[in-house]
Amino acid sequence: MLTGPLHNCRPGILLGRQAGLSGRPGQGPGPGVPLHGWTGRVLLLLLAAFFLAAPGCARIQHRLVADGENPDRLNSSFTDGRRGCYEQGRSLADNGFHAQAVELFRRAIEESEQDQWNSSTSGIDPMGYFPHRELGILYFQRREYDKAIAELEHSLDSAPSARALYYLNKARAARIERYALDRTAPVLNLESSSAEEVTNSLTKVVRGVAVDDTFIASIKVADQPVDMEPAPGKKIFRTEVPLIEGENRIRIVASDLAGRTTENHLTVYSDRQGPRIEIEELVARDNRVTLQGNVMDNMEVAFLRINNKHWPITGQARGYGFKLVLPDETITIVAGDQAGNITRAVVREHASDLVQADTQPYDERTDASPAAAEKAPHALPQSQAGPPGADVEPPYIRILTPGPDERTYAETILLEGMVSDASLPIYISINGESVPNRKGRKVFFSRLLQLAPGPNTVRITAADELGNKADRTVQVHRLVPPFRRLEARMAVAVLPFGRLSGAATPPGAVRERLIDAFAAQGRFRTVEQVKIDSILPDSAWDGGLPLTTGLAARLGQRVGAQAVLTGWVMDYPGSVEIVGRLIDVETGTILAANDVFGENREAGSLDHLADQLARKFRREVPLAEGRLLEIGSDGVIIDAGPDNRVKPAMQFICYREVPPVPHPVTGQSVVPEPQTLAVLKVMEVDGNFCRAAVVSGDLSRLMASDKVIAR
């Protein structure tokens, strides 16, 4: 409905969508219009000609009013002077009248030069104002690529949008093809010390640079897309890739706008198993000990120390033997590999440590040493009886670390252990993965284990050459600090999306896919959809224009959210645009606004667009971390600012890490639970810093160097 008085209003101002003439060229008019065949198109053309002949753009005095049926929806039935030509141009463009639409967009630009997401004096305008963008798209469709590129670049400079970026890439690609400008595929260089890398890390940061003689269209690292808007001629990238244990072949692919691709690979071997120290012989005689054995590794042994003295090795082989005579005292061996894993062994500490390969094995049943006392409870019944006098005892398994039912906040834990037997242990495994042994009667091993949140069971199995078996398990509990749990993240309520310009794409389907996409990425804690739907007014389901910021914030408060996600869906001929806004429910501040655009409205395409939009919000509102630099009387200074995408109204959790303490049983360092101190809210950002106030907690308890993490 129109409520503003008309000034210089020309016939044709409500053509196209508003008048129902939304048919494509060659089709009849839209529903409810009593015109048939080409009649509607002829009338539309005549009205457009009359409109273009009039001086200036038609004007309708603008004011935002509440729709009588839905006071919390935006009313877009009004247009002001600078929008008259723009909206009329869009109507003509959608109906195939490109020449007339071009002229109208030019007139719109004369009245208001810049594209804008928010062109309304009221501060709310879901339609936006993009004459440069729409003019550039028309030029592209008319194959005037240089003009298209100029207009689309202008639009992106003033009001970046996914639709403008999409057509800019298409226009550039078409121009490259027309003039045969692309002569080579992208050049892809990776930052790596060697073609193959060995590490015990859980992840690998892949760094590199891609350069093209035209424009880089996309880069994927292990199938992860690199953020790139718009397409550059040179792109420096950094992507963190999770590693599995063993060989990881990471594929990096760069493509340019002409369709040429370059592929590179980075091979990373994740070795989390330390060297094996195999003791073949340990004989004491005349206060001297003869020690013989081997050090073996899956990759390369980097160093070997015996009683803190380096054993001469080249560091380029998988195994080394050693034999030496030492004073009869405690003997320690430390070996490390190329990946940084270390295995430690105390091979001479008690009488039971002796290994005599050519004499009768030591009888542990008569030994009262501490080692023998520890051994007895863990031996399992024999699995295979041998002849009289043969070894019928199962291998002895000793777990040095971790301790029984150990609890840790770390993501990994070091397993250290030893297997010994009077016969040759021919099979040793950790959680089903083999630990090879060549000749050792006593084998020391270590392994870095990745822990899942909650209980983790580690099982060690050993068997000797006579078939005697032993099995031992230990459980490790990985604890997650409260401030790193999903419950501590920003609670986001995904509200219904509006429908603009008679969009055919159902906003409900878009909302459902966004809920799934936000939940899958783990950055935000999504409020249950049932809880949201139970408090939504009927007006929220009418498929009309987007919810106002005020109503969206009030709905978010009612369901206990810190922020709400809402927006709108807009269809174009053969394509769809989805715009989302993340709104702080307390202040109504828009924390982030993002959009996506695609030419396919099929279900699979909507899934892709929803995932893409969720990734954009995760990038715009990241899980930023930092430290307190200064404590004042009314707040704190944090070393995180715009470079970390920190914005006003964002909240941080402040915590303090506690120094490690020795485990009472194993003596290993144990990290206690960090202390959660306060919740902070960003008030302003400046440079690389931000100022925040305490929302909850005691300001006097905070100290410089305390850490923070975004909610």
Side-chain angles (χ1 to χ4, degrees):
M1 60 181 177
L2 299 177
T3 61
L6 300 182
H7 298 281
N8 192 28
C9 182
R10 303 297 180 188
I13 185 61
L14 297 179
L15 294 178
R17 294 186 184 89
Q18 290 88 345
L21 301 178
S22 57
R24 302 294 301 278
Q27 298 177 350
V33 180
L35 299 173
H36 303 281
W38 284 90
T39 307
R41 285 176 51 80
V42 171
L43 177 59
L44 186 60
L45 185 58
L46 291 173
L47 291 174
F50 180 79
F51 181 83
L52 290 171
C57 294
R59 299 180 181 275
I60 298 179
Q61 184 172 334
H62 176 89
R63 66 186 179 92
L64 188 71
V65 299
D67 189 317
E69 297 180 357
N70 186 355
D72 288 305
R73 288 284 185 174
L74 302 181
N75 191 323
S76 69
S77 299
F78 312 100
T79 181
D80 56 20
R82 64 180 178 177
R83 291 188 63 100
C85 292
Y86 171 65
E87 293 186 358
Q88 183 63 31
R90 287 188 52 189
S91 296
L92 291 171
D94 286 354
N95 284 277
F97 298 103
H98 290 181
Q100 294 84 352
V102 166
E103 182 61 29
L104 284 168
F105 287 139
R106 286 173 176 166
R107 289 192 184 182
I109 291 171
E110 289 176 0
E111 293 207 7
S112 183
E113 172 68 16
Q114 301 297 324
D115 283 11
Q116 303 172 50
W117 272 105
N118 187 0
S119 66
S120 169
T121 56
S122 69
I124 303 173
D125 182 11
M127 298 288 288
Y129 178 75
F130 297 95
H132 283 286
R133 182 184 73 184
E134 300 306 316
L135 180 58
I137 294 171
L138 283 180
Y139 281 141
F140 166 74
Q141 293 170 344
R142 296 172 62 172
R143 300 184 180 181
E144 299 179 54
Y145 300 132
D146 289 312
K147 292 182 179 179
I149 291 170
E151 295 296 336
L152 292 166
E153 287 179 340
H154 192 293
S155 177
L156 287 168
D157 287 341
S158 55
S161 67
R163 178 169 160 86
L165 179 64
Y166 179 87
Y167 280 103
L168 175 61
N169 285 341
K170 289 180 73 72
R172 284 175 169 174
R175 184 177 184 274
I176 290 169
E177 182 180 8
R178 171 180 289 178
Y179 298 110
L181 299 176
D182 189 82
R183 294 176 174 82
T184 62
V187 177
L188 183 58
N189 293 315
L190 303 178
E191 179 186 295
S192 178
S193 57
S194 62
E196 292 189 1
E197 181 180 343
V198 180
T199 180
N200 61 1
S201 298
L202 304 181
T203 62
K204 167 64 180 176
V205 176
V206 179
R207 295 181 175 90
V209 58
V211 182
D212 191 65
D213 57 347
T214 56
F215 296 96
I216 301 292
S218 67
I219 300 174
K220 286 189 176 182
V221 180
D223 293 328
Q224 298 182 39
V226 174
D227 293 327
M228 202 158 36
E229 296 180 357
K234 176 182 178 180
K235 177 65 177 180
I236 299 173
F237 59 90
R238 176 189 182 278
T239 303
E240 189 170 11
V241 179
L243 300 177
I244 61 171
E245 195 165 359
E247 185 179 80
N248 296 261
R249 188 168 172 81
I250 302 173
R251 180 170 174 256
I252 304 98
V253 180
S255 303
D256 62 21
L257 287 179
R260 298 178 187 264
T261 62
T262 298
E263 184 172 320
N264 208 336
H265 294 85
L266 187 63
T267 301
V268 180
Y269 193 92
S270 181
D271 176 20
R272 301 170 196 168
Q273 183 170 302
R276 300 174 301 280
I277 301 175
E278 304 171 359
I279 305 301
E280 299 178 27
E281 183 178 9
L282 185 64
V283 179
R285 185 179 294 111
D286 299 330
N287 294 324
R288 306 288 287 178
V289 173
T290 300
L291 173 64
Q292 181 176 347
N294 298 279
V295 174
M296 307 295 298
D297 190 71
N298 294 336
M299 302 299 291
E300 294 179 0
V301 177
F303 69 87
L304 171 62
R305 291 198 301 266
I306 300 177
N307 278 354
N308 210 29
K309 293 183 179 180
H310 283 277
W311 187 261
I313 62 174
T314 63
Q316 297 178 350
R318 295 191 176 191
Y320 297 91
F322 55 85
K323 184 174 183 179
L324 67 163
V325 178
L326 298 170
D328 190 2
E329 57 188 16
T330 299
I331 300 174
T332 60
I333 301 175
V334 180
D337 63 16
Q338 184 182 2
N341 302 298
I342 295 176
T343 302
R344 300 173 179 85
V346 179
V347 299
R348 174 61 169 147
E349 192 173 15
H350 306 290
S352 60
D353 293 328
L354 297 177
V355 176
Q356 303 182 52
D358 56 348
T359 61
Q360 187 69 21
Y362 173 80
D363 189 352
E364 63 184 22
R365 291 170 293 184
T366 63
D367 185 14
S369 68
E374 180 189 1
K375 173 180 176 179
H378 305 298
L380 298 182
Q382 69 183 68
S383 59
Q384 177 178 331
D391 175 22
V392 295
E393 294 294 328
Y396 167 47
I397 301 174
R398 183 181 183 187
I399 298 177
L400 304 174
T401 61
D405 292 321
E406 186 160 324
R407 298 173 180 270
T408 179
Y409 287 91
E411 193 175 355
T412 60
I413 197 165
L414 181 63
L415 171 69
E416 296 180 293
M418 182 269 292
V419 171
S420 64
D421 194 80
S423 303
L424 182 67
I426 60 172
Y427 176 78
I428 304 172
S429 70
I430 301 172
N431 287 343
E433 296 187 22
S434 175
V435 179
N437 176 39
R438 296 176 62 197
K439 301 178 181 179
R441 300 293 184 92
K442 182 177 289 187
V443 181
F444 294 84
F445 56 86
S446 68
R447 195 182 200 103
L448 187 66
L449 300 176
Q450 184 175 7
L451 302 176
N456 295 260
T457 300
V458 182
R459 180 176 181 178
I460 302 174
T461 303
D464 63 22
E465 57 188 341
L466 297 179
N468 303 304
K469 296 181 181 179
D471 188 276
R472 188 171 177 189
T473 61
V474 63
Q475 196 165 67
V476 181
H477 298 263
R478 180 189 166 194
L479 307 176
V480 180
F483 54 82
R484 290 200 179 274
R485 298 173 190 164
L486 183 61
E487 304 88 75
R489 302 283 71 81
M490 180 190 297
V492 175
V494 182
L495 301 179
F497 274 51
R499 184 201 307 257
L500 298 185
S501 302
T505 304
V510 171
R511 181 195 179 208
E512 290 176 0
R513 285 167 170 81
L514 280 173
I515 291 174
D516 293 340
F518 266 68
Q521 69 180 356
R523 166 60 185 93
F524 303 100
R525 175 168 55 92
T526 54
V527 179
E528 297 86 349
Q529 185 175 354
V530 174
K531 186 176 181 180
I532 300 170
D533 294 348
S534 66
I535 57 95
L536 285 175
D538 293 339
S539 60
W541 300 103
D542 63 6
L545 293 172
L547 297 172
T548 61
T549 302
L551 175 61
R554 293 196 301 273
L555 292 174
Q557 290 174 347
R558 290 183 60 185
V559 296
Q562 279 97 41
V564 294
L565 178 70
T566 187
W568 56 89
V569 180
M570 187 166 186
D571 280 352
Y572 300 87
S575 59
V576 61
E577 178 184 54
I578 305 172
V579 180
R581 299 179 300 172
L582 190 66
I583 303 168
D584 178 70
V585 301
E586 182 179 347
T587 63
T589 302
I590 297 179
L591 297 173
N594 287 294
D595 66 317
V596 290
F597 177 83
E599 283 194 317
N600 190 338
R601 293 195 293 264
E602 300 298 326
S605 177
L606 286 182
D607 290 337
H608 173 72
L609 290 176
D611 290 339
Q612 187 180 355
L613 189 59
R615 287 198 305 269
K616 285 189 173 185
F617 277 107
R618 181 178 60 187
R619 182 186 64 198
E620 287 296 312
V621 189
L623 200 62
E625 300 191 48
R627 292 177 181 269
L628 300 188
L629 297 179
E630 184 179 329
I631 314 297
S633 58
D634 59 347
V636 300
I637 303 296
I638 303 173
D639 66 342
D643 290 346
N644 307 98
R645 300 185 186 273
V646 174
K647 304 172 181 65
M650 283 183 61
Q651 292 189 1
F652 283 94
I653 299 173
C654 182
Y655 66 96
R656 182 177 301 153
E657 293 181 335
V658 181
V661 296
H663 191 281
V665 177
T666 65
Q668 296 291 318
S669 293
V670 177
V671 179
E673 178 179 354
Q675 301 175 6
T676 301
L677 303 173
V679 175
L680 311 173
K681 186 168 187 175
V682 176
M683 307 306 294
E684 60 179 339
V685 294
D686 182 17
N688 295 322
F689 312 101
C690 67
R691 185 177 65 84
V694 175
V695 175
S696 65
D698 187 353
L699 177 63
S700 63
R701 291 187 59 199
L702 305 185
M703 300 170 54
S705 79
D706 284 340
K707 295 185 176 182
V708 297
I709 183 172
R711 293 195 70 175

